[in-house]
Amino acid sequence: MSFLSRAPAPAWPLAAPADDGPGNPWFSWRYVHDNADEILSALQFHVGLTARAVIIAMIVALPLAVVSYWWRPLTGPILALSGILYTIPSLALLALLAPAVGTTTDTAVLIALVLYALLVLVRNALAGLTQVPPEVRDAAAGMGYGRFGRLWRIELPLALPGILTGLRLATVSTVALVTVGALIGRGGLGDMILGGFRNNFYKAEIMTGTILCVGLALVLDLLLAGLGRVLTPWTRERKL
């Protein structure tokens, strides 16, 4: 039995198309109404998996960026490793993870999403840290700050714009990549999109999943952009 054939097909009930449209419209309120519970469940799964992947990736990426910042000879190997992981095709990565965590588990998709987010997060966090002015670091050292104190009180706050940029990019890309999990029945809104193609090219199902996926990415990006404005007010003052 092949890797893909073992994926359970999501049970998406087919609803009648809208009365005022053609037999297979690209969007149907009737479909949304009749399948509201399933749509909400897919959206919740998508949001939850995205949040878990980005949080775990950030927890892993920040220490790697700090290590790269403190010990420059390790910068190349760390970025190279995260870059190699990023270049692995998603389907191949799911297949590689299958023997260890199973072929149709949330864990396989979660690990893949974390690995893909690492490169963006590490690079941007490292860029933020290296952009801290040398005179600021020297002044902090002159005030008696040790390496950890300087990192926590001076360097990380000043690196926040770069870190948050990486967080925004990683979040948006993760929202998109979650849909790949539909290949093993763990794709959230991607299950709707793939299910629409399997259900005789059911356009309303495809378009509903697509609109929600794009909308989710935009909403999360705007929320993180607003968070960045709150946490880094000095960047707005500098632009003025």
Side-chain angles (χ1 to χ4, degrees):
M1 185 176 292
S2 70
F3 172 70
L4 288 179
S5 63
R6 298 184 62 179
W12 287 95
L14 294 180
D19 295 332
D20 57 349
N24 188 19
W26 274 110
F27 187 78
S28 169
W29 285 114
R30 183 83 150 300
Y31 169 80
V32 174
H33 178 269
D34 292 349
N35 298 282
D37 291 340
E38 289 78 11
I39 293 172
L40 181 60
S41 176
L43 179 60
Q44 290 174 339
F45 180 86
H46 206 112
V47 172
L49 191 57
T50 298
R52 282 185 290 160
V54 172
I55 290 172
I56 294 173
M58 180 62 77
I59 292 173
V60 175
L62 272 182
L64 289 177
V66 171
V67 169
S68 300
Y69 176 60
W70 281 349
W71 294 283
R72 297 305 171 90
L74 295 178
T75 301
I78 289 175
L79 291 179
L81 177 60
S82 57
I84 291 172
L85 293 173
Y86 190 81
T87 60
I88 300 175
S90 54
L91 183 56
L93 183 55
L94 291 175
L96 290 173
L97 293 171
V101 298
T103 57
T104 59
T105 64
D106 297 353
T107 306
V109 182
L110 180 62
I111 293 174
L113 295 174
V114 170
L115 294 179
Y116 285 135
L118 282 180
L119 178 62
V120 175
L121 291 172
V122 171
R123 276 187 173 178
N124 281 274
L126 180 59
L129 289 169
T130 55
Q131 288 173 3
V132 175
E135 57 270 20
V136 173
R137 293 196 297 268
D138 293 340
M143 294 172 63
Y145 284 108
R147 171 174 281 186
F148 286 98
R150 187 168 66 246
L151 174 71
W152 182 252
R153 293 180 176 271
I154 307 297
E155 293 168 332
L156 279 179
L158 291 178
L160 266 181
I163 295 172
L164 289 172
T165 298
L167 183 61
R168 290 176 63 185
L169 293 172
T171 301
V172 171
S173 64
T174 300
V175 170
L177 287 170
V178 169
T179 59
V180 178
L183 295 171
I184 59 172
R186 295 292 186 271
L189 297 171
D191 291 338
M192 292 179 59
I193 298 172
L194 185 60
F197 284 106
R198 288 174 173 170
N199 291 334
N200 265 339
F201 200 71
Y202 193 18
K203 295 178 182 177
E205 188 174 5
I206 297 170
M207 186 56 67
T208 302
T210 301
I211 291 174
L212 288 175
C213 188
V214 174
L216 176 61
L218 289 174
V219 168
L220 292 179
D221 186 55
L222 288 174
L223 288 175
L224 290 174
L227 178 64
R229 290 178 62 86
V230 171
L231 295 179
T232 59
W234 64 87
T235 58
R236 298 199 304 274
E237 295 173 0
R238 186 168 51 195
K239 290 178 181 178
L240 294 175

